[in-house]
Amino acid sequence: MSKYCPKCGTKNDENAIFCRKCGYNFGLRKKKEEMKKDDTNLPHSRMTRRQANNNGKKRIGILICLLVLIVFMGVLLYNQSTSNKKVSSGSSSSTGSSTSSSSQQRVSQTFNKIEGGYEDRDDGAALNINSDGTGRYVYYDTHNSNTDDTFTWSKAGKGKYKLNFDDDDITAPVIAKQGDNGTLILSSNDSNWNTEVFTKSNNKIDLDKYLENAASESLSSDVKKFDSESISRKADSNNESSVNTEIINNESSVNTNGDVTN
């Protein structure tokens, strides 16, 4: 077989290294062909490397995204737990404050609630104030008939109430003012009314029984007073008798002594 020179076109032997006419080096041609083969395979190898690089970059990107996602979730959970703690602490403090305020309101309502029974032991008076705006007042009088009146009441200001008695002797309203520790002070511009200080009872008072007890206590007091006065009079009588006896004895002694002297 033969081969042609690519430079001058001369026919040469198959194994010729140089062209017999122009001296073309067929070895360079072989190297060029090999280089062409290498160039033909080169894009594939480059593509393989690019794909490997791209795959590696994708893996790195995925890992970075996962790390960012993990960090984001951690921050989110931390903020949520912190906010929950703040909410729980705020709710507990608000619960404590609301409990304290509600207990204070209960105490305030206990003292500000006028309904109930009241008693004035010093004057022997008692009254019940009902939630329907009515009430009853009793007073034990040792010299006159007992006072037993009904009245209506209404709020007249902070801690103040106006009592209108169904009694012709009381011509002006009675003002009930709440004092400390559940006391109730009753005063009026009426000359027939004396200012009274009542102490609130735990329950409403049986006013009929109260008058009976006041009468029995007054009777017992009168009996004790009578007994003490009797004992005092008896003691005075004994003392007077003793003095008289002593005077008589002294006079007798004087007379006797006078007789002896004469």
Side-chain angles (χ1 to χ4, degrees), residues 32-49:
K32 288 181 180 180
E33 289 178 353
E34 290 177 353
M35 289 177 66
K36 285 182 180 181
K37 290 181 180 180
D38 292 338
D39 292 338
T40 304
N41 295 328
L42 184 61
H44 178 71
S45 63
R46 286 179 179 174
M47 289 295 294
T48 304
R49 290 194 202 99

Side-chain angles (χ1 to χ4, degrees), residues 110-114 117-119 127 129 159-161 176-186 196-201:
T110 301
F111 286 109
N112 292 335
K113 188 177 179 182
I114 191 174
Y118 296 84
E119 182 181 8
L127 74 155
I129 299 178
K160 290 184 179 181
Y161 301 86
K177 183 179 180 181
Q178 289 180 311
D180 298 333
N181 301 324
T183 58
L184 191 68
I185 304 170
L186 268 61
E196 294 179 287
V197 179
F198 290 82
T199 302
K200 190 169 187 178
S201 177

